[in-house]
């Protein structure tokens, strides 16, 4: 259950769950329950951070607004159907609200944060501390007083602070102390611009707030989820808003998370940069958007995908930048101590260089989903798919790094082979259902060969389950996707046995681990939390096998681990009850949306992905020229 109405002591705690997300689909910020913005990259999601205390200390940049002293209590919420956070601080002298949001923007080099302090009761002393540190907490800018507040410049970056509150420079920080009475408002705006460009301002913060609230509420109303399921609908809408916030509006790309290096293992080295767009998320994201009624977003994501993968198939990457950039070199930031001492802090992602064969299946399945969903035709897309399949014919028998991007030796991962099967299966269906041209007999042969190999080498009859890689006895949560992609019938013994094996070996306090590191080829043997997307996959597997009570119980359990604002990270540690990994995580929220629809619709995303046409995916029949893509 979402605990958004509960109260908690105000504290500068560093739990991942203590943060909320605001954004403008260009960049995003993490706002703590103590009124501190501890993470912000400007001007884009993937730009260097100017507030990086999330991965260091307050000296690495933050912007805190809160009552003087320790408040009696605080509570917070998103204004219904929006990305606007309202935090209420109760003190011995009264109460104040802090409103945080980012106005919408079309210019990818323009981002503003608006913070409004409102007096609700009595008279409250409030303090502000602004610590600007560009280049991931390293560079102290040159700050100058202005009649509207101050300006700060460092190299190519500049921000303007617009406020009428009194400001004072102290120890390379800007501080302010002021009092707010009931009915009063004190607004602040932080506006970014390139240092060689003219500053801009938000002329009326209250009007900007009204417009932002109205825009988000109108957008949220479009959600097609069953209105009778009020609690579930709220969770679905919040997940969809989060996905929208993680969308880079100029291109339609959706990042995995707005953060880097939040650890999967506290104090450990599983710290990765997730501010990029993974192809692996494509198909499941498209199902979530189409089922929820967000066709415009689905179209934009599909267009981003086609632009990004354009080129030679042997150069296909597993992830791309916001506009389809391919060069994402990984390096470490030595001056940041890491979240909770979890080092190294990484910028960029070396996994972009890996060979992961499942990516071909994800792309072909995504474009199959677009056909089933009757999205607009994409010229030349079918030719691109055929070229990819020609390349896949030559490489599907090779080992790879697998879905979890293991940085060890390549293996014949069963899930990777499964998605190669999906590639040829979707191509065959494109010819059979839509009359597209292609060497369908050859594709059928490859599909059948992969199917036979997986059943012979990827299934262990001794444990009655598919296994992580050929010759291994280790299990992997990705094996839960076998029935969902239509490889075997829902009630096939291999499918049921795999689900039972995952329940036996990978369930930890009711949640699903990706795998057991100590039993796999993963060179990093550190334990980690349960992977939330995998738990949603298990709920989907229960739905597919008609165990609705178990599916619903697991779904409710997953809803209960969201933070008070309804947000999920990548992982969850049942022992400590804390969220782990980058936050908020798009893949977790995609899983929430798809599982919710699987539970309320007989033909939900899981059955749609198994190549059965369902509601919202009606096909006009074969040989339709409208689907030649």
């Amino acid at each position: 259950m979402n605990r958004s109405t509960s109260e908690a002591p105000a504290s500068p705690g560093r739990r991942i769950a203590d943060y909320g997300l605001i954004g403008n689909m260009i960049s995003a910020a993490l706002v703590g329950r103590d009124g501190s913005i501890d993470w912000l990259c400007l001007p884009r999601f993937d730009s260097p951070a100017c507030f990086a205390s999330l991965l260091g200390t307050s000296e690495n940049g933050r912007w805190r607004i809160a009552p003087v002293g320790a408040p009696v209590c605080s509570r917070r919420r998103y204004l219904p159907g929006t990305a606007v956070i309202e935090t209420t601080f109760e003190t011995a002298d009264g109460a104040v609200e802090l409103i945080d949001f980012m106005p919408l923007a079309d210019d990818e080099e323009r981002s503003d944060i608006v913070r409004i302090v409102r007096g609700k009761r009595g008279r409250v002393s409030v303090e502000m501390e602004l610590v600007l540190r560009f280049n991931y907490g390293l560079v102290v800018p040159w700050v100058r007083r202005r009649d509207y507040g101050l300006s700060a410049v460092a190299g190519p970056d500049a921000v303007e602070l617009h406020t009428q509150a009194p400001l004072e420079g102290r120890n390379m920080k800007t501080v302010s102390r002021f009092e707010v009475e009931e009915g009063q408002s004190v607004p602040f705006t932080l506006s970014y611009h390139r240092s060689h460009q003219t500053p801009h301002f938000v002329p009326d913060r209250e009007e900007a707030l009204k417009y932002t609230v109205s825009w988000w509420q109108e957008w949220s109303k479009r959600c097609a989820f069953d209105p009778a399921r009020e609690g579930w609908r709220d969770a679905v809408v919040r997940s969809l808003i989060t996905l929208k916030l993680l969308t880079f509006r100029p291109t339609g790309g959706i990042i995995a998370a707005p953060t880097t290096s939040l650890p999967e293992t506290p104090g450990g080295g599983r710290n990765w940069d997730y501010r990029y767009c993974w192809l692996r998320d494509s198909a499941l994201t498209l199902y979530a958007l189409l089922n929820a009624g967000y066709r415009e977003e689905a179209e934009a994501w599909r267009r981003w995908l086609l632009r990004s993968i354009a080129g030679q198939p042997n150069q296909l990457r597993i992830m791309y930048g916001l506009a389809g950039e391919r060069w994402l070199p990984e390096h470490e930031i030595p001056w940041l101590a890491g979240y909770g001492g979890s080092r190294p802090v990484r910028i960029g992602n070396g996994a972009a260089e890996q060979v992961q064969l499942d990516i071909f299946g994800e792309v072909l399945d995504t474009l199959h989903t677009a056909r089933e969903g009757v999205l607009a035709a994409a010229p030349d897309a079918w030719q691109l798919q055929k070229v990819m399949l020609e390349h896949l014919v030559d490489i599907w028998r090779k080992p790879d790094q697998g879905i979890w991007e293991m940085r060890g030796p390549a293996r014949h991962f069963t899930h990777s082979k499964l998605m190669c099967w999906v590639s040829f299966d979707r191509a065959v269906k494109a010819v059979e259902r839509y009359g597209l041209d292609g060497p369908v007999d050859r594709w059928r042969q490859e599909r059948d060969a992969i199917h036979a190999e997986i059943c012979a080498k990827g299934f262990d009859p001794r444990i009655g389950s598919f296994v992580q890689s050929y010759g291994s006895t280790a299990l992997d949560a990705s094996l839960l996707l076998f029935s969902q992609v239509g490889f075997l019938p829902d009630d096939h013994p291999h499918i049921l046995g795999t689900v039972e094996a995952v329940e036996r070996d990978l369930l930890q306090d009711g949640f699903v681990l990706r795998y057991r590191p100590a039993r796999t080829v993963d060179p990093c043997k550190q334990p980690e939390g349960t992977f939330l997307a995998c738990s949603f996959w298990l709920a989907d597997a229960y739905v597919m096998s008609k165990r609705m009570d178990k599916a619903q119980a697991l779904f409710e359990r997953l809803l209960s681990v969201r933070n008070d604002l309804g947000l999920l990270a990548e992982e969850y540690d049942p022992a400590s009850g804390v969220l782990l990994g980058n936050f908020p995580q798009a893949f977790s929220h995609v899983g929430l949306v798809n599982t919710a629809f699987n539970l309320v619709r007989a033909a939900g995303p899981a059955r749609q992905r198994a190549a059965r046409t369902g509601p919202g995916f009606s096909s006009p029949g074969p040989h339709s020229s409208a689907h030649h893509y």
Side-chain angles (χ1 to χ4, degrees), residues 50 56 71 157 163 257 271 331 351 360 380 382 403 441 475 559 616 628:
C50 65
D157 304 303
T163 184
N271 316 316
H331 60 281
F360 289 87
D380 302 324
W382 177 242
I403 182 175
D441 290 338
L475 293 176
L559 293 187
H628 284 195

Side-chain angles (χ1 to χ4, degrees), residues 293-426:
Y294 291 97
R295 298 183 65 83
E296 180 181 338
E297 286 74 12
E299 291 268 17
W301 175 236
R302 196 271 307 268
R303 289 194 298 269
W304 173 89
L305 173 66
L306 288 172
R307 290 194 304 269
S308 297
I309 66 174
Q312 295 183 335
N314 63 349
Q315 296 180 336
L316 184 69
R317 295 299 189 98
I318 68 165
M319 73 182 79
Y320 294 85
L322 304 179
E325 299 91 343
R326 301 182 180 212
W327 179 239
L328 309 174
E330 181 178 305
H331 60 281
E332 297 177 4
I333 300 294
W335 58 84
L336 289 176
Y339 176 88
S342 300
R343 301 182 73 175
V345 172
R346 292 183 171 96
I347 304 302
N349 200 310
E353 303 289 338
Q354 290 184 353
V355 174
Q356 298 175 22
L357 296 177
D358 68 294
I359 294 303
F360 289 87
E362 303 294 354
V363 171
L364 272 293
D365 197 27
T366 299
L367 298 176
H368 174 74
T369 303
R371 278 188 287 272
E372 294 285 296
V374 200
L375 293 186
D380 302 324
W382 177 242
Q383 183 62 33
L384 176 61
Q385 294 169 68
K386 290 195 294 182
V387 172
M388 291 175 61
L389 289 162
E390 289 176 12
H391 181 60
L392 190 59
V393 166
D394 296 330
I395 67 169
W396 72 259
R397 292 175 176 83
K398 296 181 179 181
D400 73 334
Q401 306 305 134
I403 182 175
W404 306 124
E405 302 168 3
M406 294 183 187
R407 300 194 176 195
R411 291 287 189 274
H412 290 282
F413 287 101
T414 305
H415 173 266
S416 296
K417 305 301 185 185
L418 170 68
M419 296 312 296
C420 290
W421 175 89
V422 168
S423 299
F424 293 108
D425 178 74
R426 297 334 187 225

Side-chain angles (χ1 to χ4, degrees), residues 229-543:
R229 303 271 189 154
E230 183 176 350
W232 288 7
R233 180 181 170 82
D234 290 344
V236 168
V237 169
R238 179 51 50 199
S239 290
L240 289 165
I241 291 174
T242 303
L243 289 176
K244 184 69 170 175
L245 281 172
L246 299 181
T247 301
F248 188 60
R249 192 175 186 180
T251 67
I254 302 174
I255 60 172
T259 56
T260 179
S261 301
L262 291 181
E264 299 170 14
T265 303
R270 292 181 181 270
N271 316 316
W272 317 112
D273 194 344
Y274 275 17
R275 297 172 299 158
Y276 308 111
C277 309
W278 265 253
L279 298 193
R280 183 170 295 114
D281 303 0
S282 297
L284 292 172
T285 299
L286 210 62
Y287 281 112
L289 293 172
L290 286 171
N291 277 280
Y294 291 97
R295 298 183 65 83
E296 180 181 338
E297 286 74 12
E299 291 268 17
W301 175 236
R302 196 271 307 268
R303 289 194 298 269
W304 173 89
L305 173 66
L306 288 172
R307 290 194 304 269
S308 297
I309 66 174
Q312 295 183 335
N314 63 349
Q315 296 180 336
L316 184 69
R317 295 299 189 98
I318 68 165
M319 73 182 79
Y320 294 85
L322 304 179
E325 299 91 343
R326 301 182 180 212
W327 179 239
L328 309 174
E330 181 178 305
H331 60 281
E332 297 177 4
I333 300 294
W335 58 84
L336 289 176
Y339 176 88
S342 300
R343 301 182 73 175
V345 172
R346 292 183 171 96
I347 304 302
N349 200 310
E353 303 289 338
Q354 290 184 353
V355 174
Q356 298 175 22
L357 296 177
D358 68 294
I359 294 303
F360 289 87
E362 303 294 354
V363 171
L364 272 293
D365 197 27
T366 299
L367 298 176
H368 174 74
T369 303
R371 278 188 287 272
E372 294 285 296
V374 200
L375 293 186
D380 302 324
W382 177 242
Q383 183 62 33
L384 176 61
Q385 294 169 68
K386 290 195 294 182
V387 172
M388 291 175 61
L389 289 162
E390 289 176 12
H391 181 60
L392 190 59
V393 166
D394 296 330
I395 67 169
W396 72 259
R397 292 175 176 83
K398 296 181 179 181
D400 73 334
Q401 306 305 134
I403 182 175
W404 306 124
E405 302 168 3
M406 294 183 187
R407 300 194 176 195
R411 291 287 189 274
H412 290 282
F413 287 101
T414 305
H415 173 266
S416 296
K417 305 301 185 185
L418 170 68
M419 296 312 296
C420 290
W421 175 89
V422 168
S423 299
F424 293 108
D425 178 74
R426 297 334 187 225
V428 169
K429 286 180 170 60
V431 174
E432 294 175 342
R433 295 186 182 185
Y434 303 107
L436 302 181
D437 66 296
V440 68
D441 290 338
R442 176 68 184 278
W443 294 341
R444 288 194 187 101
Q445 291 173 6
E446 299 294 336
R447 179 181 66 176
D448 294 346
I450 299 171
H451 198 284
E453 180 177 293
I454 290 174
C455 290
K457 299 181 179 180
F459 183 83
D460 190 327
R462 294 169 297 176
I463 59 177
S465 171
F466 289 106
V467 290
Q468 184 180 64
S469 62
Y470 292 176
S472 167
T473 58
L475 293 176
D476 192 300
S478 64
L479 304 171
L480 292 168
L481 298 172
F482 262 82
S483 64
Q484 193 172 138
V485 299
F487 185 82
L488 288 171
D490 307 342
D491 57 355
H492 193 282
H494 285 17
I495 298 296
L496 298 178
T498 299
V499 174
E500 291 172 5
V502 168
E503 289 177 309
R504 287 194 309 268
D505 194 62
L506 296 184
L507 272 183
Q508 182 169 301
D509 297 326
F511 299 91
V512 181
L513 295 164
R514 295 188 298 174
Y515 51 85
R516 298 280 182 181
R519 304 177 193 174
T520 70
V521 298
D522 188 352
C524 182
K525 300 301 182 182
Q526 294 175 337
E528 61 177 6
T530 58
F531 200 81
L532 292 172
C534 296
S535 295
F536 286 113
W537 295 348
L538 179 58
D540 296 336
Y542 289 150
V543 172

